[in-house]
Amino acid sequence: MRQSQLASSTLRESPADAEVASHQLMLRAGYIRQLAAGIYTYLPLGRRVLRKIEQIVREEMDAADAQEVLMPTLQPAELWKESGRYGVYGPELMRLQDRHEREFALGPTHEEVITTLVRGEISSYRKLPVTLYQIQTKFRDERRPRFGLLRGREFLMKDAYSFDADWEGLDRSYKRMYDAYHRIFQRCGLAFRAVEADAGAIGGEGGTHEFMALAEIGEDTIAACDCCQYAANLEKAESSEKIEEHGADTASSTEASIEKVYTPDVRTIEQLVQSLCVPATDIMKTVVFMADEQAVAVVVRGDHEINEIKVKNALGAENIAIADSETVARLTGVPVGFVGPYGLSLPVLIDREVARMAAGIAGANEADHHYRHLNPQRDLDLTRVGDYRNAAEGDGCPRCSEGKLKFFRGIEVGHVFKLGTKYSEKLNASYLDASGRSQTMIMGCYGIGVSRIMSAILEQHHDGNGIIWPASIAPYQAHLVLVSTKDEVQQQTAEELYSGLRSRGIEVLFDDRDERPGVKFKDADLIGIPVRIVVGKDAEAGKVEWVERRSGNKETIAIEEAVARFSALRNDLSAGV
Ligand code: 9G3
């Protein structure tokens, strides 16, 4: 492709609202343009990268014997009413009416569609298992679209769905997808971790993993053991129950009786630490939540954070949120900051680490007063002790005995779920087993954010001068740069090299523009094609400069050598190494 004809141009600056590197770089290098908030056009360079990512996904899905389909984006609302999800997602589900005023949704995902399809196509155990997938535009009306393709309102997803006769079959299908995901992210050049995750609203009976691309701007926090393979989204991560050396378990030994102290206007942990000169680890932090319509108090140690997902799952609640101060005052008669587990008129969930405390300090359920010397074993109802806190860095690993948990930020680029019968039951996807009995299919679903991967790769593959694409997904294999359009020999050499490479099937972006060399080199650094061939003054000696974008290495080599290298490189690429 001649860069003088390319439909996009590079920008000197990126728009102010582009906050992260991947967003800035895709705009500046001319890969995408925003049409509206969270809605983007892929310019030619961007479309080529997206297609390469799709191709890697497609190859690995096909290698795992999944069959590609393409489902509609327009979905009848009836399907979502039948599955009971029409009201669950609120304004995030984009809705519209057709000319007959029939209600439709723009598909955010396709469990309903695929289950209805399979219900009609498969009725015998002989046709199971089957895994179907598509690479398709999804719509989710995010309240705050941001970071370019990382959180868009219209985006490209590969979504796959497996159907098995039984749970063992699902385990096999799940493992095949899980392994295929490892190959896909490796081929895309991503540094990633598969982490145990929370199944969320999608539910499903048997576990779920997220694939996280490591990146500082990632919205998710991963807790990973520095010793074994344990890694989990912080939403779900656990800590070892092993008693920490310093926090000796003296719960049963303290005899001091409860004492009420006057703590005027002392509401926060920090204020308690200051006014009572105690460490946060001696404080029982009590927060009141509304779980669906039920008020519940949760108590964790002062230096820990409450994990709302764990509380929600423990209560089996649909919705959970911190109760506002008026609600707390109305329900308990106690102003916020003075609520505590002792003598409280609400159900109380006690975190494991609180149950171990010897003498704790907590709100006295009376304005301007706290209790001290609370001994949970003696004074509190411990029927609802559990793990309700976020794991903390440095906590012991829940799987191995000597590891410690470390935190990483990640971008979720894949998510695999064991759904079980959650949809097949509701939508009657059943089959006749070998003895002719009707059985419900066991499902799994598997998503990859194809457009999101592009941004995640960029977050991991750039430097101060611009993009550095992994060869597997670069828009072109070679960036051919002609230094001077005025110089006959250079011009001729570049043209011959351009046609020579292309005739060998090498993808070339040819910078044939009548621009100063400095501008060309800056643009080439920005666009990020992994290998650059510069045709300059050495052309008359039959030599060109071979520049590697990532390392910056430069070599002057014979033109024939440049072609030979690419042909070799191309063979590597087609082998998918
Ligand atoms: C909705 C809206 C947003 C949603 C969903 C439904 C997320 C929804 C979860 C999934 C689960 C898996 C198949 C591919 C892998 C992920 N956001 N989810 O179901 F109506 Cl507005 O999409 N689906």
Side-chain angles (χ1 to χ4, degrees):
M1 177 66 205
R2 295 176 184 277
Q3 210 162 327
S4 56
Q5 313 300 318
L6 194 62
S8 60
S9 54
T10 59
L11 308 175
R12 277 288 148 267
E13 302 300 323
S14 66
D17 69 340
E19 301 159 69
V20 297
S22 54
H23 191 193
Q24 293 163 351
L25 289 168
M26 279 199 275
L27 290 170
R28 281 190 52 215
Y31 280 77
I32 60 172
R33 286 288 175 266
Q34 177 171 311
L35 179 64
I39 299 171
Y40 291 88
T41 296
Y42 297 93
L43 292 163
L45 290 175
R47 183 69 188 98
R48 290 179 72 93
V49 173
L50 196 65
R51 191 199 315 276
K52 293 211 173 168
I53 296 172
E54 281 176 41
Q55 212 32 45
I56 289 174
V57 171
R58 194 167 269 120
E59 283 168 14
E60 294 302 338
M61 283 293 114
D62 293 349
D65 291 333
Q67 299 172 57
E68 184 167 8
V69 297
L70 183 60
M71 291 178 261
T73 48
L74 276 174
Q75 302 183 14
E78 290 77 8
L79 274 184
W80 287 74
K81 292 173 180 169
E82 199 180 336
S83 72
R85 292 212 289 174
Y86 198 59
V88 170
Y89 285 89
E92 195 183 342
L93 180 62
M94 298 196 85
R95 305 155 205 259
L96 70 153
Q97 291 192 342
D98 69 5
R99 61 191 308 165
H100 309 292
E101 294 182 8
R102 289 196 206 100
E103 285 184 303
F104 283 81
L106 286 179
T109 182
H110 282 69
E111 278 81 5
E112 283 79 1
V113 177
I114 195 73
T115 306
T116 308
L117 176 82
V118 168
R119 163 174 84 190
E121 296 303 314
I122 290 179
S123 56
S124 157
Y125 73 100
R126 271 186 263 271
K127 296 280 288 240
L128 292 177
V130 67
T131 297
L132 303 173
Y133 78 95
Q134 65 171 350
I135 298 178
Q136 160 74 277
T137 300
K138 294 283 185 294
F139 298 87
R140 294 179 183 177
D141 199 355
E142 298 282 351
R143 188 155 28 100
R144 274 192 66 222
R146 59 187 191 141
F147 296 175
L149 302 182
L150 279 180
R151 183 166 288 280
R153 293 197 287 169
E154 176 177 340
F155 56 95
L156 200 58
M157 182 199 279
K158 183 285 300 173
D159 43 328
Y161 305 85
S162 62
F163 297 82
D164 279 277
D166 51 34
W167 284 89
E168 293 72 28
L170 169 59
D171 289 346
R172 285 191 295 275
S173 298
Y174 188 89
K175 172 109 177 58
R176 283 175 84 100
M177 286 291 108
Y178 184 88
D179 293 343
Y181 275 41
H182 272 85
R183 288 192 294 275
I184 288 167
F185 298 124
Q186 270 154 1
R187 289 182 62 187
C188 287
L190 268 179
F192 70 97
R193 289 291 295 263
V195 303
E196 296 178 26
D198 178 64
I202 187 95
E205 280 94 41
T208 165
H209 286 85
E210 283 166 341
F211 287 78
M212 295 290 188
L214 303 179
E216 273 319 300
I217 55 113
E219 292 182 346
D220 290 276
T221 300
I222 303 156
C225 175
D226 59 6
C227 207
C228 72
Q229 283 308 306
Y230 175 72
N233 190 310
L234 189 60
E235 289 173 352
K236 178 181 174 82
E238 299 158 17
S239 315
S240 108
E241 297 205 48
K242 197 170 49 129
I243 294 167
E244 291 313 310
E245 307 70 58
H246 63 79
D249 192 10
T250 57
S252 53
S253 66
T254 300
E255 299 310 320
S257 58
I258 299 175
E259 176 197 347
K260 189 184 283 189
V261 289
Y262 180 51
T263 49
D265 246 358
V266 176
R267 298 169 191 278
T268 67
I269 302 296
E270 293 67 36
Q271 289 166 342
L272 264 176
V273 167
Q274 294 306 322
S275 62
L276 297 183
C277 295
V278 293
T281 50
D282 283 358
I283 293 170
M284 298 177 180
K285 171 164 49 176
T286 307
V287 177
V288 178
F289 286 87
M290 293 310 292
D292 297 336
E293 276 67 51
Q294 166 68 40
V296 174
V298 182
V299 188
V300 297
R301 215 170 65 186
D303 58 319
H304 288 154
E305 294 302 321
I306 290 174
N307 180 313
E308 291 190 15
I309 303 268
K310 289 181 181 176
V311 173
K312 176 168 166 278
N313 290 343
L315 296 169
E318 282 285 309
N319 300 301
I320 188 158
I322 293 184
D324 57 42
S325 47
E326 297 81 75
T327 307
V328 175
R330 176 164 47 78
L331 289 175
T332 65
V334 179
V336 165
F338 297 100
V339 178
Y342 185 70
L344 182 65
S345 56
L346 294 178
V348 180
L349 300 184
I350 307 260
D351 183 73
R352 285 182 324 212
E353 301 301 326
V354 170
R356 267 200 202 120
M357 286 166 77
I361 292 153
N365 293 318
E366 182 185 334
D368 298 334
H369 287 79
H370 280 78
Y371 285 127
R372 60 190 317 164
H373 306 318
L374 269 179
N375 178 308
Q377 308 290 340
R378 179 189 66 197
D379 307 323
L380 299 183
D381 165 13
L382 297 181
T383 48
R384 306 188 72 165
V385 171
D387 173 17
Y388 302 118
R389 72 177 176 92
N390 277 340
E393 275 215 284
D395 277 0
C397 170
R399 290 284 184 289
C400 75
S401 52
E402 61 271 8
K404 293 278 180 238
L405 295 181
K406 283 180 62 60
F407 283 6
F408 301 90
R409 306 289 296 172
I411 299 168
E412 179 193 330
V413 288
H415 202 156
V416 291
F417 295 78
K418 290 183 180 175
L419 285 177
T421 58
K422 178 176 166 62
Y423 293 91
S424 44
E425 201 146 31
K426 281 227 179 77
L427 298 165
N428 301 316
S430 56
Y431 67 95
L432 294 180
D433 66 15
S435 47
R437 268 197 304 274
S438 173
Q439 307 283 356
T440 303
M441 296 182 196
I442 308 292
M443 287 177 65
C445 66
Y446 316 87
I448 286 183
V450 175
S451 46
R452 181 179 274 187
I453 285 184
M454 201 158 136
S455 289
I457 290 171
L458 269 189
E459 286 297 324
Q460 295 184 358
H461 293 271
H462 70 271
D463 64 11
N465 300 321
I467 299 170
I468 308 175
W469 290 116
S472 57
I473 52 118
Y476 291 91
Q477 290 167 276
H479 203 155
L480 177 60
V481 179
L482 166 59
V483 172
S484 162
T485 51
K486 305 273 186 298
D487 180 305
E488 256 309 299
V489 172
Q490 291 187 30
Q491 175 76 43
Q492 188 60 31
T493 304
E495 290 290 345
E496 281 164 15
L497 193 45
Y498 181 47
S499 58
L501 287 168
R502 292 180 79 192
S503 64
R504 286 170 176 74
I506 305 294
E507 303 159 348
V508 186
L509 180 61
F510 175 18
D511 192 347
D512 60 342
R513 296 173 298 165
D514 186 2
E515 286 279 359
R516 284 181 292 102
V519 169
K520 294 188 168 192
F521 296 142
K522 274 176 77 68
D523 281 351
D525 281 344
L526 188 57
I527 289 169
I529 291 166
V531 172
R532 185 182 319 164
I533 300 178
V534 182
V535 177
K537 61 184 185 332
D538 296 340
E540 60 196 5
K543 294 184 181 306
V544 292
E545 196 178 40
W546 177 282
V547 183
E548 283 184 6
R549 174 67 183 83
R550 181 174 300 282
S551 62
N553 287 347
K554 297 183 179 179
E555 290 172 78
T556 301
I557 57 173
I559 292 175
E560 304 69 33
E561 164 65 12
V563 177
R565 282 189 184 186
F566 267 112
S567 307
L569 198 135
R570 177 180 162 67
N571 299 337
D572 288 351
L573 263 190
S574 54
V577 291

